């Protein structure tokens, strides 16, 4: 079935350093979504990428969708302690549901 | 954005008892809701797709007789964990799809189930 690989599993950074998480699929995706889950919280939608090669920015967050629509990345510039959490990519599988990557847990040292 | 309300947020129960979790879409109608389970430090695993007015669709390996799903209205889906055992302890999260045209999901706040 549809699967998506996400790396790294963990990332520890010093506040102010950059952070990137990557997702890869073996099949072409119609779209890819990114979610953030704070410790003890529930996933919150960040963005959806649909177009080949698409790049979207949300303040310090940059999302990219590969040209082949098989991979995506989330980059955070100059991390802050408020960025702490687990970032998941998610891909549609049909029936309207999503399959989530394993997530990248980001910790930021002040 | 759309709001999904989930209750209770935390349940502690004895082994062998049943626990019901409610998921409500507050400001929109959801013909389909999704139930996920998340073990500590792991990703969200889709358990089942709840369809209003019809039977739920379960993922492979999920026991439908143990995890009863009822979606009796366009705003309410329930998940009942029957005869709960300690291995059922997990974080259960419901979600509903945004009906605005894209496919993003709105999640409830989750239910932390602890079975003693």
């Amino acid at each position: 079935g549809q699967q998506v690989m996400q790396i790294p599993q963990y990332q520890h950074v010093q506040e102010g350093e950059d952070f990137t998480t990557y997702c890869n699929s073996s099949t072409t995706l119609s779209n890819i979504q990114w979610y953030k889950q704070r410790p003890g919280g529930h996933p919150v939608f960040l963005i959806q990428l649909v177009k080949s090669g698409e790049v979207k920015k949300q303040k310090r967050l940059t999302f990219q969708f590969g040209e082949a629509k098989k991979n995506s990345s989330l980059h955070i510039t100059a991390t802050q302690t408020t960025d702490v959490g687990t970032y998941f990519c998610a891909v549609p599988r049909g029936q309207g549901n999503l399959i989530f990557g394993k997530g990248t847990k980001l910790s930021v040292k002040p | 954005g759309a709001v999904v309300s989930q209750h209770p947020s935390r349940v502690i129960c004895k082994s062998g008892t049943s626990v019901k979790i409610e998921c409500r879409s507050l400001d929109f109608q959801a013909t389909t809701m999704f139930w996920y389970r998340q073990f500590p430090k792991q990703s969200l695993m889709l358990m089942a797709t709840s369809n209003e007015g019809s039977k739920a669709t379960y993922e492979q390996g999920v026991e439908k007789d143990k995890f009863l799903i009822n979606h009796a209205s366009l705003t309410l889906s329930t998940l009942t964990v029957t005869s709960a055992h300690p291995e059922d302890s997990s974080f259960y999260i419901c979600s509903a799809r945004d009906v605005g045209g894209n496919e993003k999901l709105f999640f409830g706040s989750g239910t932390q189930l602890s079975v003693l």
Side-chain angles (χ1 to χ4, degrees), chain A:
Chain A
Q2 177 68 277
Q3 289 186 350
V4 59
M5 301 294 293
Q6 186 173 359
I7 58 170
Q9 189 173 0
Y10 301 97
Q11 187 77 57
H12 310 282
V13 301
Q14 192 76 33
E15 188 172 23
E17 293 181 339
D18 293 354
F19 159 79
T20 306
T21 173
Y22 303 88
C23 278
N24 291 285
S25 168
S26 58
T27 59
T28 302
L29 303 169
S30 59
N31 69 80
I32 191 165
Q33 301 177 29
W34 287 92
Y35 291 79
K36 177 183 179 181
Q37 184 177 23
R38 294 181 183 276
H42 61 278
V44 175
F45 174 83
L46 293 177
I47 208 160
Q48 178 178 258
L49 303 173
V50 179
K51 299 178 181 178
S52 168
E54 188 170 17
V55 178
K56 287 188 176 180
K57 292 189 175 184
Q58 292 179 351
K59 297 183 180 179
R60 293 178 295 104
L61 276 62
T62 302
F63 304 84
Q64 291 189 336
F65 202 10
E67 293 289 343
K69 300 181 71 174
K70 289 185 176 182
N71 58 74
S72 180
S73 65
L74 158 58
H75 180 82
I76 302 178
T77 304
T79 55
Q80 300 175 359
T81 54
T82 52
D83 296 324
V84 165
T86 301
Y87 294 84
F88 294 97
C89 61
V91 300
R93 195 195 61 175
Q95 302 174 7
N97 58 48
L98 294 176
I99 300 301
F100 284 77
K102 290 187 179 296
T104 298
K105 184 176 181 179
L106 172 64
S107 60
V108 179
K109 187 176 182 180

Side-chain angles (χ1 to χ4, degrees), chain B residues 29-68:
Chain B
Q29 293 181 333
T31 55
T32 304
M33 292 185 178
F34 308 101
W35 288 95
Y36 288 84
R37 179 168 53 184
Q38 186 177 34
F39 291 107
K41 300 182 180 180
Q42 295 190 21
S43 186
L44 292 87
M45 299 301 297
L46 180 66
M47 297 177 66
T49 299
S50 171
N51 304 298
E52 187 269 335
S54 64
K55 292 182 179 180
T57 304
Y58 291 82
E59 294 300 303
Q60 190 173 7
V62 178
E63 300 175 55
K64 60 181 180 181
D65 294 331
K66 180 169 185 64
F67 299 99
L68 301 179

